[in-house]
Amino acid sequence: MEKVKLFGTWSCPFAKRIVWALKLKNIEYEMIYEDLANKSPELLKYNPIHKKIPILVHNEIPLCESLVIVEYIDETWKDVYPFLPKDPLDRAKERFWAKFGDEQILSSFFNYFMKQGKDQEEAKEKTLTNLKRIEQLLSENKFLSGERFGYLDLTFGWLADNLRPLEIVTGLKLLDEDSFPNICAWKDEILSIPSIQECWPNQEALIAKYQETKERKGK
Amino acid sequence: MEKVKLFGTWSCPFAKRIVWALKLKNIEYEMIYEDLANKSPELLKYNPIHKKIPILVHNEIPLCESLVIVEYIDETWKDVYPFLPKDPLDRAKERFWAKFGDEQILSSFFNYFMKQGKDQEEAKEKTLTNLKRIEQLLSENKFLSGERFGYLDLTFGWLADNLRPLEIVTGLKLLDEDSFPNICAWKDEILSIPSIQECWPNQEALIAKYQETKERKGK
């Protein structure tokens, strides 16, 4: 019998992509919520190198690094809802953009909302320049992976579920519908997928979390 | 007819792993050497985002990011010398360690040899700590990918071919045979593979290159 455990937090962008992946494949799993200020012995045992979440533990074997985990899930439960396309060129493109998102957009996106002054300005410029490329990717298809929600959409999930809460808390507007119509439509489209809807992070809870972060930083 | 071009430099660690991958698969290709101080219009056209090498151009379609390219080559020419194993767990492990090598070892390895003082000390400590993990990986098999040179060995090629030239130029000793017997044996084992031997970077040229770098920094 398959035994799947996921170590994460409810709001970690890297853990959430694993939750979505498991839901889309209809895989039963146990969620173990970690307190990152007081990491559990299991977390430290399963990821002694990075000591980070998410960790997927499949039949007692731990896997780390969220993009590696998503591919592992795709290859292990390969008959249900494949994430990556079959064509090597399409696969390479999705892997390229997933890496680009994690390395070039994710941090600057959060920095834009959470930093001040020059750091914020720089983060904004970098985020917008790079999101313009993502906007362009969506010019032909409604999903980043094409006509169907796939690997690349999974890896960009953090953008879809954090944007509104962060805009509300900070009063800042990063993406307007005139300049980023495709990303705005994509964000709504994702929510029409039942498996995603089911595990869509509670927007009020995200707002409260970011409000608390903002107040702590303001002190 | 397949048309494969590789944009790179003769010494770039990321380009060399693509050269090795192409050789192992017996793929004919045209090598285009770039002058990174004066990048060609083709490089800028094919990789407008990162403006970096290596770039693989297959039938006029460019691919960037060396790990993505290695997987693309493996999936496109899948019947000749497969790099990645078939088992999803083994694949995940190799992908995890490849990312670890690129993100946690590669820079500190070169910094150890090229920096001075405190930066050098920090780089040494980080490199040795992380290479101990790689040493451990080699405790059961002669190659990082197992009994056969594979994906993970390809991604760690920079360690095998740069170590000796850097040690000679700097007079520093990073890995001794007593503490790192497995890595030392692995380095020699790689050279016994004819396809790798054939494109093994000229050690004298590497020595001259690093000598020149050292002198320039010393000025």
Side-chain angles (χ1 to χ4, degrees):
Chain A
M1 203 190 123
E2 302 285 355
K3 200 173 166 191
V4 180
K5 288 195 265 188
L6 176 62
F7 289 73
T9 68
W10 70 274
S11 63
C12 164
F14 303 107
K16 279 188 283 183
R17 63 173 59 145
I18 314 296
V19 170
W20 294 14
L22 293 166
K23 288 277 178 193
L24 283 166
K25 296 265 190 191
N26 215 5
I27 300 163
E28 277 191 40
Y29 68 100
E30 180 189 352
M31 182 79 205
I32 291 142
Y33 292 102
E34 282 287 334
D35 171 8
L36 298 183
N38 184 21
K39 293 173 186 175
S40 74
E42 285 76 23
L43 184 154
L44 302 174
K45 180 183 85 178
Y46 286 135
N47 191 356
I49 295 179
H50 299 304
K51 301 178 178 66
K52 280 183 185 169
I53 54 155
I55 307 165
L56 186 83
V57 183
H58 184 202
N59 297 332
E60 288 308 313
I61 296 168
L63 292 114
C64 307
E65 290 287 354
S66 69
L67 294 183
V68 173
I69 296 172
V70 172
E71 287 217 42
Y72 172 79
I73 291 172
D74 204 28
E75 292 175 353
T76 301
W77 289 272
K78 60 178 187 288
D79 297 329
V80 185
Y81 203 100
F83 303 146
L84 273 167
K86 288 195 174 159
D87 180 67
L89 187 61
D90 294 335
R91 295 164 70 85
K93 279 184 191 163
E94 295 206 26
R95 287 180 181 134
F96 171 86
W97 287 109
K99 190 172 158 69
F100 181 76
D102 276 13
E103 293 177 2
Q104 304 292 330
I105 315 184
L106 196 146
S107 300
S108 65
F109 170 84
F110 285 99
N111 284 343
Y112 165 60
F113 290 107
M114 291 300 169
K115 300 267 178 178
Q116 302 286 328
K118 201 174 153 234
D119 290 344
Q120 184 176 55
E121 271 312 300
E122 282 173 8
K124 182 178 186 180
E125 200 184 313
K126 187 175 178 190
T127 308
L128 290 179
T129 303
N130 288 331
L131 280 180
K132 268 286 165 206
R133 301 184 191 279
I134 304 307
E135 176 71 13
Q136 180 63 27
L137 276 187
L138 286 164
S139 62
E140 284 176 22
N141 293 300
K142 62 182 177 179
F143 291 113
L144 290 166
S145 299
E147 274 311 301
R148 189 168 150 282
F149 183 94
Y151 175 79
L152 193 54
D153 299 285
L154 268 178
T155 69
F156 269 90
W158 55 268
L159 175 61
D161 65 13
N162 286 296
L163 183 63
R164 204 177 142 267
L166 282 165
E167 286 187 339
I168 288 172
V169 168
T170 59
L172 297 165
K173 185 83 185 163
L174 181 68
L175 303 186
D176 65 78
E177 301 223 349
D178 291 337
S179 311
F180 291 91
N182 300 335
I183 293 181
C184 293
W186 165 82
K187 215 164 58 70
D188 296 337
E189 196 68 41
I190 285 182
L191 257 176
S192 69
I193 300 163
S195 317
I196 302 294
Q197 217 176 58
E198 214 179 289
C199 57
W200 190 250
N202 184 314
Q203 298 283 291
E204 295 311 312
L206 277 174
I207 290 169
K209 177 193 145 76
Y210 291 132
Q211 187 67 45
E212 195 268 324
T213 310
K214 194 187 157 195
E215 282 161 16
R216 206 177 52 234
K217 281 180 184 266
K219 272 178 192 162
Chain B
M1 203 191 125
E2 302 285 354
K3 201 173 168 193
V4 180
K5 288 195 265 189
L6 175 62
F7 289 75
T9 68
W10 70 273
S11 64
C12 165
F14 304 106
K16 278 188 283 183
R17 62 173 60 143
I18 314 296
V19 169
W20 294 13
L22 293 166
K23 288 277 178 191
L24 283 165
K25 296 264 189 192
N26 214 6
I27 300 162
E28 278 192 38
Y29 68 98
E30 180 190 352
M31 182 79 203
I32 292 142
Y33 291 103
E34 281 288 333
D35 171 6
L36 298 183
N38 184 21
K39 294 172 185 175
S40 74
E42 285 75 23
L43 184 156
L44 302 175
K45 178 183 86 178
Y46 286 133
N47 190 356
I49 296 179
H50 299 304
K51 302 180 179 66
K52 279 182 185 169
I53 54 155
I55 307 164
L56 186 83
V57 183
H58 183 201
N59 297 333
E60 287 308 316
I61 296 169
L63 291 114
C64 307
E65 290 288 353
S66 68
L67 295 183
V68 173
I69 296 172
V70 172
E71 288 217 43
Y72 173 79
I73 291 172
D74 204 28
E75 293 175 353
T76 302
W77 290 272
K78 60 179 186 287
D79 297 329
V80 185
Y81 203 98
F83 303 147
L84 274 167
K86 286 196 175 160
D87 179 67
L89 188 62
D90 294 334
R91 295 163 71 85
K93 279 185 193 163
E94 296 206 27
R95 288 180 181 133
F96 172 86
W97 288 109
K99 191 173 156 69
F100 182 77
D102 275 14
E103 292 177 2
Q104 304 292 331
I105 314 184
L106 195 147
S107 300
S108 65
F109 169 86
F110 285 99
N111 283 342
Y112 165 61
F113 290 107
M114 290 300 170
K115 301 266 178 179
Q116 301 287 327
K118 201 172 155 237
D119 290 345
Q120 185 176 53
E121 270 313 300
E122 283 173 7
K124 183 178 185 179
E125 201 184 313
K126 187 175 178 188
T127 308
L128 289 178
T129 302
N130 288 331
L131 280 180
K132 268 286 164 206
R133 302 183 189 280
I134 304 307
E135 176 70 14
Q136 181 61 26
L137 276 186
L138 286 164
S139 62
E140 285 177 24
N141 292 299
K142 62 182 178 181
F143 291 113
L144 291 165
S145 300
E147 273 312 299
R148 188 168 151 282
F149 182 95
Y151 176 79
L152 193 54
D153 299 284
L154 266 178
T155 70
F156 269 89
W158 54 268
L159 175 61
D161 65 13
N162 285 296
L163 182 63
R164 204 176 142 267
L166 282 165
E167 285 187 340
I168 289 173
V169 169
T170 59
L172 299 164
K173 184 83 185 163
L174 181 68
L175 303 186
D176 65 80
E177 301 223 350
D178 291 336
S179 312
F180 292 91
N182 301 335
I183 293 180
C184 292
W186 165 81
K187 215 165 58 70
D188 295 338
E189 196 67 42
I190 286 181
L191 257 176
S192 70
I193 299 163
S195 315
I196 302 294
Q197 216 177 60
E198 212 179 290
C199 58
W200 190 250
N202 184 313
Q203 298 283 292
E204 295 312 312
L206 277 174
I207 290 169
K209 178 192 145 76
Y210 292 132
Q211 188 66 46
E212 195 267 327
T213 310
K214 194 189 157 196
E215 280 160 16
R216 206 176 51 234
K217 281 179 184 266
K219 273 179 192 163

